[in-house]
Amino acid sequence: MVTHYHMPVDVRFGIGCLRELAGFLSPEDRVLLVTDPGLEAVGLVDRVRNVISPTGADCRLYDKVEPNPTAALVESAMEEVRDYCPTKLVALGGGSSVDTAKVLAALATNDGPLVDYQWNGKPFVNPPLPLIAIPTTAGTGSEVTMCAVIVDRNCKKGINGPAMFPMAALVDAELMASLPLYLTATTGMDALSHAIEAYVGLGANPITDACAREAIRLIGGALWRACANGGDLKARQDMALGSVLAGVAMDQAGLGLVHALSSPLCSFFHMAHGEANAVLLKYCMEFNLMACPERFADIAALLGVNTAGMSTFQAAQASVKAVETLFDQTGVRVPFTSFGMKESDAELVASNLASFLQANNPRRISQKQCEQLYLHILADQSR
């Protein structure tokens, strides 16, 4: 088997690496800082500005990014890009801010509206504006992927290709210390879902396996500690590294049923990506066990389960319980019904799945089975 691996992002990792942003800037630069209003409120925007200011670069703030960014938001942000004509972009935040900035960077140097690239298959011909991604969650791994996901027509639709890679990623766990418990838990489970789906998916290869395995081990050991004490920088660093490795793995190996099922939940019911994946993960693992029990047995061991004396399938089943226990330890609950989803919605969401994600899943699944899985989750959560 020939393995293909391509990840051109300049990754800087470690406490205090935010300072290295200055090395990417010059006095001639005009920097558009893309973020959400919450990060300005907690002072992280000022921390980034304080690094930019001594370089002499001009900086303008765009802080209107929302969870599950839409095509309308991107088009509105492009008005800011056209007015300011930035030479570089800096994305500060979770996957929503990074994905928005990725698309802005590519559209800034290529003709035509977003719809041409997102829906009509038009390729980006020109290189994007340089983008430095600064994640503030250990979740999406978007800072190292060649995909940006934007909601349009009630669909979370990815825009894929080399133009989506940031130029650099500064992964500073110190910026994650103020992340609230709920977001720590749900974004952390999102990162775990990336690693697990990359490891069991049909696109897995030896390089992605190595990244996914280490991501699972790190997240399994650190998530509950980061939730118990947000200021535990060792736990935050382990989560940050796990998220990056999971991002690399899933970008190269692909995802599966968890993400196929979560996309319409985010589009129709405005669940955050991490919220949906946190709930779906154990159910999708349970469904997929029979397709590759050896891989799930590996996951159990990586999550700290003593599998000695177990059969392969018993160990595989233990991986589901380990994931359930890990999420339970965070103390966070995410009921689907609180977002307005009802049993009568199951057919609608099951008919709007991302088919390319289903194709990478280790076990075949029909639309009817997806509908039944949604109903099973709703019933299970109501007990």
Side-chain angles (χ1 to χ4, degrees):
M1 179 181 73
V2 176
T3 295
H4 178 78
Y5 174 82
H6 178 65
M7 205 285 287
V9 183
D10 180 350
V11 180
R12 312 287 175 95
F13 181 89
I15 300 296
C17 72
L18 172 63
R19 294 188 297 268
E20 302 208 3
L21 173 60
F24 293 97
L25 305 177
S26 69
E28 293 76 28
D29 278 320
R30 294 184 304 281
V31 179
L32 184 65
L33 176 54
V34 180
T35 188
D36 65 75
L39 294 186
E40 187 169 20
V42 298
L44 292 186
V45 169
D46 284 341
R47 290 183 65 175
V48 173
R49 279 173 159 162
N50 289 341
V51 176
I52 295 174
S53 182
T55 69
D58 189 61
C59 180
R60 181 182 290 192
L61 178 66
Y62 179 84
D63 65 350
K64 298 180 176 62
V65 177
E66 301 170 348
N68 298 314
T70 63
L73 183 143
V74 170
E75 294 295 349
S76 174
M78 276 303 298
E79 294 179 11
E80 193 81 17
V81 171
R82 295 184 189 103
D83 177 67
Y84 183 53
C85 296
T87 57
K88 290 187 174 76
L89 273 68
V90 171
L92 176 71
S96 295
S97 292
V98 177
D99 281 4
T100 299
K102 285 179 173 183
V103 177
L104 295 178
L107 290 176
T109 58
N110 288 272
D111 294 330
L114 173 62
V115 65
D116 287 352
Y117 302 95
Q118 187 175 20
W119 291 96
N120 301 335
K122 181 178 178 180
F124 291 107
V125 176
N126 301 315
L129 288 178
L131 166 64
I132 300 97
I134 307 173
T136 59
T137 67
T140 68
S142 183
E143 65 274 8
V144 292
T145 70
M146 58 175 171
C147 178
V149 182
I150 303 296
V151 177
D152 191 28
R153 308 176 192 179
N154 279 327
C155 177
K156 285 193 75 171
K157 186 168 176 60
I159 304 165
N160 297 276
M164 292 297 104
F165 276 122
M167 174 181 72
L170 308 181
V171 186
D172 188 340
E174 198 170 43
L175 302 180
M176 304 172 189
S178 61
L179 193 68
L181 167 62
Y182 188 85
L183 289 176
T184 299
T186 54
T187 58
M189 290 297 292
D190 183 23
L192 183 62
S193 74
H194 295 158
I196 289 175
E197 291 213 286
Y199 190 61
V200 303
L202 301 181
N205 65 58
I207 296 174
T208 60
D209 282 353
C211 293
R213 288 173 62 89
E214 181 63 1
I216 293 167
R217 187 189 70 80
L218 286 166
I219 295 167
L223 180 58
W224 66 272
R225 292 189 289 117
C227 288
N229 178 9
D232 182 343
L233 288 184
K234 176 62 167 65
R236 291 292 191 185
Q237 276 197 291
D238 285 351
M239 286 301 301
L241 181 55
S243 176
V244 169
L245 292 173
V248 170
M250 64 103 168
D251 194 52
Q252 308 289 326
L255 294 167
L257 185 58
V258 173
H259 285 73
L261 292 176
S262 72
S263 291
L265 295 179
C266 299
S267 300
F268 287 103
F269 302 103
H270 308 294
M271 295 184 72
H273 182 69
E275 290 173 328
N277 289 349
V279 174
L280 290 166
L281 181 55
K282 73 170 184 176
Y283 297 102
C284 294
M285 289 174 67
E286 200 168 38
F287 179 86
N288 283 329
L289 286 182
M290 66 173 64
C292 48
E294 297 85 359
R295 293 241 150 186
F296 284 104
D298 289 343
I299 290 168
L302 290 165
L303 290 173
V305 178
N306 182 359
T307 59
M310 294 184 184
S311 69
T312 299
F313 201 77
Q314 286 172 331
Q317 290 175 313
S319 72
V320 179
K321 183 61 179 176
V323 165
E324 182 179 22
T325 299
L326 182 63
F327 193 36
D328 284 345
Q329 285 174 330
T330 69
V332 167
R333 298 290 178 271
V334 187
F336 279 2
T337 51
S338 67
F339 294 89
M341 185 178 178
K342 306 179 294 294
E343 288 185 1
S344 57
D345 297 314
E347 183 177 359
L348 170 68
V349 291
S351 64
N352 282 274
L353 304 181
S355 58
F356 76 97
L357 295 174
Q358 286 175 269
N360 194 53
N361 196 61
R363 181 181 171 190
R364 299 300 92 210
I365 184 167
S366 66
Q367 181 177 318
K368 189 64 178 177
Q369 285 175 305
C370 290
E371 184 180 338
Q372 291 168 344
L373 191 52
Y374 281 127
L375 290 171
H376 169 60
I377 295 169
L378 285 168
D380 195 37
Q381 286 200 327
S382 67
R383 291 193 184 110

